[in-house]
PDB file of all heavy atoms in Angstrom:
ATOM      1  N   GLU A   7      -9.877   4.758   7.664  1.00  0.00           N
ATOM      2  CA  GLU A   7     -11.240   4.222   7.806  1.00  0.00           C
ATOM      3  C   GLU A   7     -12.208   5.209   8.466  1.00  0.00           C
ATOM      4  O   GLU A   7     -13.391   4.940   8.622  1.00  0.00           O
ATOM      5  CB  GLU A   7     -11.238   2.924   8.607  1.00  0.00           C
ATOM      6  CG  GLU A   7     -10.552   1.780   7.869  1.00  0.00           C
ATOM      7  CD  GLU A   7      -9.185   1.479   8.441  1.00  0.00           C
ATOM      8  OE1 GLU A   7      -8.468   2.412   8.845  1.00  0.00           O
ATOM      9  OE2 GLU A   7      -8.801   0.282   8.439  1.00  0.00           O
ATOM     10  N   SER A   8     -11.701   6.383   8.881  1.00  0.00           N
ATOM     11  CA  SER A   8     -12.551   7.406   9.538  1.00  0.00           C
ATOM     12  C   SER A   8     -11.907   8.784   9.279  1.00  0.00           C
ATOM     13  O   SER A   8     -11.317   9.370  10.183  1.00  0.00           O
ATOM     14  CB  SER A   8     -12.616   7.101  11.025  1.00  0.00           C
ATOM     15  OG  SER A   8     -13.419   8.078  11.682  1.00  0.00           O
ATOM     16  N   ALA A  29      -6.625  -2.012   8.210  1.00  0.00           N
ATOM     17  CA  ALA A  29      -7.344  -3.173   8.727  1.00  0.00           C
ATOM     18  C   ALA A  29      -8.553  -3.487   7.868  1.00  0.00           C
ATOM     19  O   ALA A  29      -8.893  -4.652   7.669  1.00  0.00           O
ATOM     20  CB  ALA A  29      -7.764  -2.935  10.170  1.00  0.00           C
ATOM     21  N   LEU A  42     -15.018  12.501  -1.512  1.00  0.00           N
ATOM     22  CA  LEU A  42     -14.825  12.888  -2.910  1.00  0.00           C
ATOM     23  C   LEU A  42     -16.018  13.682  -3.410  1.00  0.00           C
ATOM     24  O   LEU A  42     -17.157  13.315  -3.206  1.00  0.00           O
ATOM     25  CB  LEU A  42     -14.645  11.611  -3.749  1.00  0.00           C
ATOM     26  CG  LEU A  42     -14.275  11.824  -5.207  1.00  0.00           C
ATOM     27  CD1 LEU A  42     -12.850  12.391  -5.308  1.00  0.00           C
ATOM     28  CD2 LEU A  42     -14.340  10.506  -5.930  1.00  0.00           C
ATOM     29  N   SER A  43     -15.745  14.826  -4.078  1.00  0.00           N
ATOM     30  CA  SER A  43     -16.843  15.613  -4.642  1.00  0.00           C
ATOM     31  C   SER A  43     -17.401  14.913  -5.882  1.00  0.00           C
ATOM     32  O   SER A  43     -16.722  14.121  -6.526  1.00  0.00           O
ATOM     33  CB  SER A  43     -16.434  17.021  -5.024  1.00  0.00           C
ATOM     34  OG  SER A  43     -15.131  17.296  -4.907  1.00  0.00           O
ATOM     35  N   GLY A  46     -15.450  13.804  -9.100  1.00  0.00           N
ATOM     36  CA  GLY A  46     -14.039  13.772  -8.720  1.00  0.00           C
ATOM     37  C   GLY A  46     -13.363  12.468  -9.126  1.00  0.00           C
ATOM     38  O   GLY A  46     -13.989  11.587  -9.659  1.00  0.00           O
ATOM     39  N   HIS A  63       8.674  -1.812  -0.285  1.00  0.00           N
ATOM     40  CA  HIS A  63       8.973  -1.874   1.151  1.00  0.00           C
ATOM     41  C   HIS A  63      10.448  -2.042   1.447  1.00  0.00           C
ATOM     42  O   HIS A  63      10.965  -1.530   2.448  1.00  0.00           O
ATOM     43  CB  HIS A  63       8.152  -3.008   1.810  1.00  0.00           C
ATOM     44  CG  HIS A  63       6.702  -2.783   1.690  1.00  0.00           C
ATOM     45  ND1 HIS A  63       5.946  -3.365   0.691  1.00  0.00           N
ATOM     46  CD2 HIS A  63       5.825  -2.012   2.384  1.00  0.00           C
ATOM     47  CE1 HIS A  63       4.695  -2.972   0.821  1.00  0.00           C
ATOM     48  NE2 HIS A  63       4.595  -2.180   1.837  1.00  0.00           N
ATOM     49  N   SER A  78      12.441 -14.039   1.939  1.00  0.00           N
ATOM     50  CA  SER A  78      12.682 -13.451   3.276  1.00  0.00           C
ATOM     51  C   SER A  78      14.177 -13.566   3.629  1.00  0.00           C
ATOM     52  O   SER A  78      14.749 -12.643   4.178  1.00  0.00           O
ATOM     53  CB  SER A  78      11.836 -14.192   4.332  1.00  0.00           C
ATOM     54  OG  SER A  78      10.505 -13.923   4.131  1.00  0.00           O
ATOM     55  N   ARG A  85      19.162  -6.505   3.409  1.00  0.00           N
ATOM     56  CA  ARG A  85      18.608  -5.314   4.025  1.00  0.00           C
ATOM     57  C   ARG A  85      18.362  -5.392   5.509  1.00  0.00           C
ATOM     58  O   ARG A  85      18.112  -4.415   6.164  1.00  0.00           O
ATOM     59  CB  ARG A  85      17.277  -4.933   3.402  1.00  0.00           C
ATOM     60  CG  ARG A  85      17.346  -4.652   1.936  1.00  0.00           C
ATOM     61  CD  ARG A  85      17.902  -3.298   1.668  1.00  0.00           C
ATOM     62  NE  ARG A  85      17.813  -3.025   0.236  1.00  0.00           N
ATOM     63  CZ  ARG A  85      18.526  -2.213  -0.425  1.00  0.00           C
ATOM     64  NH1 ARG A  85      19.438  -1.513   0.193  1.00  0.00           N
ATOM     65  NH2 ARG A  85      18.377  -2.024  -1.702  1.00  0.00           N
ATOM     66  N   PHE A  89       9.295  -7.307   7.361  1.00  0.00           N
ATOM     67  CA  PHE A  89       7.921  -7.500   7.828  1.00  0.00           C
ATOM     68  C   PHE A  89       7.047  -7.420   6.601  1.00  0.00           C
ATOM     69  O   PHE A  89       6.791  -6.340   6.083  1.00  0.00           O
ATOM     70  CB  PHE A  89       7.541  -6.417   8.842  1.00  0.00           C
ATOM     71  CG  PHE A  89       8.472  -6.405   9.996  1.00  0.00           C
ATOM     72  CD1 PHE A  89       9.554  -5.525  10.073  1.00  0.00           C
ATOM     73  CD2 PHE A  89       8.290  -7.310  11.048  1.00  0.00           C
ATOM     74  CE1 PHE A  89      10.416  -5.532  11.155  1.00  0.00           C
ATOM     75  CE2 PHE A  89       9.169  -7.322  12.127  1.00  0.00           C
ATOM     76  CZ  PHE A  89      10.235  -6.462  12.178  1.00  0.00           C
TER      77      PHE A  89
END
Side-chain angles (χ1 to χ4, degrees):
E7 293 105 325
S8 181
L42 188 67
S43 6
H63 298 96
S78 292
R85 300 282 187 204
F89 302 97

